[in-house]
């Protein structure tokens, strides 16, 4: 009987020898498919939109032409500005207050005097026009952008397309000092792996020379979609993207929306707003045993004392946010009517967001990092386009849907990501926290100096970090 069973057991073992590996291969394949398909599922729906005036015109295709654009001014525009500056009503400041009550009105007098008598807007218009400007219509509104190509590309070197996105209260002009470093790195002593870029820098709709949306609910998702359409219209299939402030939110949404189009994402600000029990515990434990929760010594230095740096300082600097996220048009009316009010409102941010300690200086430390010509040029972009109200509405549209800007944090960012953490940024996000959203961090750099307006303040540092990040991504 035992002999009779031998052929059967041999036959059974043969079947096992075939079936077990086949089953294992099948299960492994299903698991791999599930993992890969899971990543594909974790994207933001691109959708579509219409932001033009009135109802969408269904007949005929949208004008997809790229139209050259030039910034212009006139005697009438300058005379109107001067008349308003001459009628500036001075408010005496509180003695010893520096910038702790807002923009110091005594220093504001100096700024207004310079603006009225020395600032040359015609000359600054020439500076703005040194790069090629364009308009194109997307989803019913005109999108403004500059497109700068390298003047010389060494043989065999690939040019990387790079989209740079600004925030509030900045503009495309923030990038004017970093653009030549990215498009002509060798000229400026930057030879980071022979990386060279062509730069596309759009204005967020409602900012500067981009038309304001005429419909409600224009948020960062709509902006991300429009900027993808812009890059596609320019002929790019894959590209790098970079942003800070709202630019960080927009480019993150771009990476979540079409990861197959984004070669790499570089940020100089990270939004990680929603609190969790684990994060509360790590905050408490990190003050005593930081290594246990993944904090570095530098994280500790930038993060603590927690209440001072993450609650008190943020509350001091976020009053504007509540206004703009609820009733932007009310305050905006006054700013759109008064150039002095507009300058005070905008430039106060360039003081304290560059360095919190500047609150204690009578001049807000503004001229230690920027020139008045640079600062006033950014203000003038808002003034001549009457775009301050529409730029403020961007807060309303985003925060009304997503009060802590974390609704899309559950959608992981899997594209290669680089983070430049500047020490004077409004909030510091440790790498271990950033990894909760950005799953593929290639570089995380503790920058030696600089604040919120990185490209405007420390263009060389930011350019070097972008280049090192792209070099690493290209080697993957």
């Amino acid at each position: 009987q035992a002999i009779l069973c031998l052929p059967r057991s041999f036959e059974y073992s043969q079947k096992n020898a075939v079936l077990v590996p086949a089953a294992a291969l099948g299960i492994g394949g299903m698991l791999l498919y599930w993992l890969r398909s899971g990543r594909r599922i974790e994207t933001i729906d691109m959708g579509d939109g219409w932001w033009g005036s009135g109802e969408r015109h269904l007949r005929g295709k949208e004008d997809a032409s790229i139209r050259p654009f030039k910034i212009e001014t006139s005697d009438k525009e300058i005379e109107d500005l001067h008349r308003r500056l001459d009628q500036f009503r001075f408010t005496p400041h509180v003695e010893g207050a520096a910038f702790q009550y807002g923009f110091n009105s005594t220093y504001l007098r100096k700024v207004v005097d310079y603006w009225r008598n020395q600032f040359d807007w015609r000359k600054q218009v020439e500076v703005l026009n040194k790069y090629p400007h364009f308009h194109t219509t997307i989803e019913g509104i005109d999108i403004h952008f500059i497109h700068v190509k390298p003047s010389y590309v060494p043989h065999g070197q690939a040019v990387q397309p790079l989209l740079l996105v600004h925030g509030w209260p900045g503009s495309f002009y923030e990038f004017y000092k970093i653009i030549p470093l990215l498009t002509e790195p060798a000229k400026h002593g930057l030879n980071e792996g022979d990386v060279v870029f062509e730069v596309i820098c759009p204005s967020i709709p409602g900012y500067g020379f981009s038309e304001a949306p005429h419909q409600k609910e224009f948020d960062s998702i709509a902006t991300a979609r429009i900027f993808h359409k812009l890059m596609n219209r320019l002929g790019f299939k894959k590209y790098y993207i970079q942003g800070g402030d709202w630019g960080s939110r927009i480019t993150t949404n771009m990476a979540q929306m079409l990861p197959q189009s984004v070669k790499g994402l570089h940020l100089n600000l990270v939004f990680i707003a929603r609190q969790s029990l684990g994060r509360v515990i790590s905050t408490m434990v990190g003050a005593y045993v930081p290594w246990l929760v993944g904090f570095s010594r530098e994280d500790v230095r930038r993060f603590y004392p927690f209440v001072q740096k993450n609650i008190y300082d943020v509350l001091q600097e976020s009053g504007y946010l509540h206004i703009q996220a609820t009733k932007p048009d009310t305050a905006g009316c006054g700013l759109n009517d008064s150039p002095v009010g507009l300058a005070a409102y905008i430039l106060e941010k360039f003081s304290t967001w560059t360095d919190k300690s500047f609150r204690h200086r009578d001049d807000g430390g503004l001229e230690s990092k920027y020139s008045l010509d640079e600062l006033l040029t950014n203000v003038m972009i808002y003034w001549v386009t009457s775009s301050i109200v529409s730029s403020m509405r961007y807060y309303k549209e985003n925060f009304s849907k997503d009060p802590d800007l974390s609704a899309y944090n559950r959608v992981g960012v899997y594209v290669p990501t680089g983070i430049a953490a500047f020490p004077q940024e409004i909030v510091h996000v440790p790498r271990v926290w950033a990894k909760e959203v950005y799953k593929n961090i290639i570089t995380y750099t503790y920058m030696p100096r600089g604040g919120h307006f990185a490209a405007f303040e420390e263009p060389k540092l930011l350019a070097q970090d972008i280049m090192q990040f792209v070099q690493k991504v290209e080697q993957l």
Side-chain angles (χ1 to χ4, degrees):
Q1 191 174 0
I3 293 170
L4 289 172
C5 287
L6 282 173
R8 288 182 189 174
S9 63
F10 178 73
E11 185 181 344
Y12 182 73
S13 64
Q14 272 193 318
K15 286 180 180 178
N16 274 355
V18 174
L19 290 173
V20 170
L25 189 64
I27 293 168
M30 288 172 66
L31 182 63
L32 183 63
Y33 175 80
W34 178 78
L35 288 170
R36 290 174 66 88
S37 63
R39 284 195 181 184
R40 284 200 298 271
I41 291 169
E42 282 192 319
T43 58
I44 294 174
D45 181 34
M46 190 166 181
D48 201 6
W50 169 259
W51 310 105
S53 182
E55 294 184 7
R56 187 169 197 164
H57 304 293
L58 298 177
R59 293 179 182 177
K61 290 185 178 180
E62 187 168 70
D63 179 10
S65 64
I66 307 293
R67 306 178 293 278
F69 170 74
K70 190 174 182 181
I71 298 170
E72 295 178 341
T73 187
S74 65
D75 290 341
K76 184 178 178 182
E77 184 175 74
I78 295 170
E79 287 167 7
D80 176 67
L81 171 68
H82 287 173
R83 177 182 60 80
R84 292 169 186 262
L85 294 177
D86 288 338
Q87 293 174 352
F88 164 46
R89 294 201 301 173
F90 174 73
T91 303
H93 78 291
V94 178
E95 292 181 13
F99 262 59
Q100 291 155 345
Y101 281 62
F103 206 105
N104 184 307
S105 57
T106 299
Y107 179 65
L108 184 58
R109 260 184 165 170
K110 178 188 173 183
V111 173
V112 173
D113 179 70
Y114 182 89
W115 198 359
R116 174 63 177 85
N117 299 305
Q118 293 176 261
F119 179 76
D120 188 342
W121 176 231
R122 291 188 186 279
K123 180 181 176 182
Q124 294 308 116
V125 165
E126 290 179 12
V127 171
L128 292 174
N129 282 325
K130 75 177 181 177
Y131 294 128
H133 293 250
F134 302 91
H135 267 158
T136 190
T137 306
I138 303 177
E139 298 188 4
I141 52 176
D142 283 347
I143 305 301
H144 162 258
F145 64 98
I146 55 175
H147 187 179
V148 187
K149 298 179 181 180
S151 57
Y152 170 73
V153 181
H155 178 70
Q157 187 169 345
V159 178
Q160 303 293 344
L162 173 64
L163 181 81
L164 298 176
V165 185
H166 67 89
W168 186 92
S171 64
F172 65 92
Y173 177 62
E174 278 182 76
F175 299 109
Y176 266 49
K177 288 186 276 189
I178 199 173
I179 287 172
L181 307 183
L182 297 169
T183 57
E184 300 173 318
K187 276 189 181 180
H188 300 88
L190 296 172
N191 294 305
E192 299 290 346
D194 296 323
V195 175
V196 65
F197 299 93
E198 64 175 295
V199 173
I200 301 89
C201 181
S203 294
I204 298 171
Y207 288 69
F209 299 98
S210 275
E211 186 178 354
H214 298 269
Q215 311 295 329
K216 294 190 295 183
E217 301 186 353
F218 182 87
D219 59 5
S220 62
I221 302 297
T223 314
R225 181 179 62 245
I226 283 175
F227 287 173
H228 270 309
K229 289 182 178 182
L230 171 63
M231 294 301 279
N232 185 259
R233 189 170 290 184
L234 292 172
F236 300 113
K237 302 302 179 187
K238 298 198 75 172
Y239 33 88
Y240 287 93
I241 54 181
Q242 199 283 332
D245 195 87
W246 280 123
S248 168
R249 168 87 166 176
I250 293 163
T251 53
T252 294
N253 290 159
M254 291 177 73
Q256 293 166 319
M257 187 178 286
L258 289 178
Q260 67 272 23
S261 296
V262 178
K263 295 184 75 174
L265 166 68
H266 188 279
L267 306 171
N268 56 279
L269 175 65
V270 174
F271 288 102
I272 304 286
R274 180 168 291 172
Q275 290 298 323
S276 63
L277 179 60
R279 197 172 297 162
V280 171
I281 293 170
S282 67
T283 298
M284 295 170 65
V285 173
Y288 302 99
V289 277
W291 55 268
L292 194 62
V293 293
F295 288 0
S296 69
R297 287 183 180 178
E298 186 62 20
D299 288 330
V300 172
R301 193 180 73 81
R302 297 185 183 193
F303 203 55
Y304 298 99
F306 179 81
V307 172
Q308 173 68 40
K309 293 187 175 180
N310 297 275
I311 298 177
Y312 184 66
D313 283 350
V314 171
L315 284 174
Q316 272 204 310
E317 295 302 324
S318 57
Y320 80 97
L321 189 151
H322 189 73
I323 292 171
Q324 295 179 192
T326 54
K327 302 289 182 68
D329 286 31
T330 304
C333 285
L335 301 178
N336 194 49
D337 192 57
S338 167
V340 179
L342 180 67
Y345 196 73
I346 288 177
L347 297 187
E348 183 246 308
K349 303 307 177 194
F350 279 88
S351 167
T352 51
W353 291 1
T354 297
D355 191 322
K356 299 178 199 69
S357 70
F358 286 174
R359 279 196 296 255
H360 307 293
R361 295 174 59 167
D362 289 340
D363 64 354
L366 283 167
E367 292 178 75
S368 64
K369 293 289 186 176
Y370 318 101
S371 72
L372 284 180
D373 279 344
E374 290 170 346
L375 293 168
L376 290 171
T377 296
N378 183 66
V379 173
M380 285 294 291
I381 290 170
Y382 282 86
W383 176 253
V384 300
T385 58
S386 294
S387 60
I388 187 61
V389 177
S390 51
S391 75
M392 292 164 70
R393 284 178 190 152
Y394 202 63
Y395 286 76
K396 170 79 170 177
E397 305 295 17
N398 281 283
F399 281 98
S400 60
K401 293 185 197 174
D402 187 7
D404 62 358
L405 298 184
S406 64
Y408 294 100
N409 284 358
R410 58 180 175 73
V411 181
V413 176
Y414 292 95
V415 304
T417 302
I419 297 172
F422 284 85
Q424 291 296 329
E425 185 54 270
I426 300 166
V427 291
H428 174 68
V429 176
R431 179 175 184 150
V432 67
W433 286 8
K435 284 171 66 177
E436 294 174 16
V437 175
Y438 302 93
K439 310 294 186 182
N440 188 12
I441 297 176
I442 305 298
T443 62
Y444 182 102
T445 312
Y446 296 100
M447 306 303 282
R449 62 186 179 275
H452 188 71
F453 303 98
F456 206 35
E457 181 191 349
E458 296 289 350
K460 192 164 187 177
L461 284 180
L462 184 60
Q464 286 174 326
D465 199 70
I466 293 170
M467 288 177 174
Q468 288 166 7
F469 163 68
V470 170
Q471 185 183 6
K472 287 188 177 182
V473 174
E474 290 298 311
Q475 290 170 354
L476 292 177

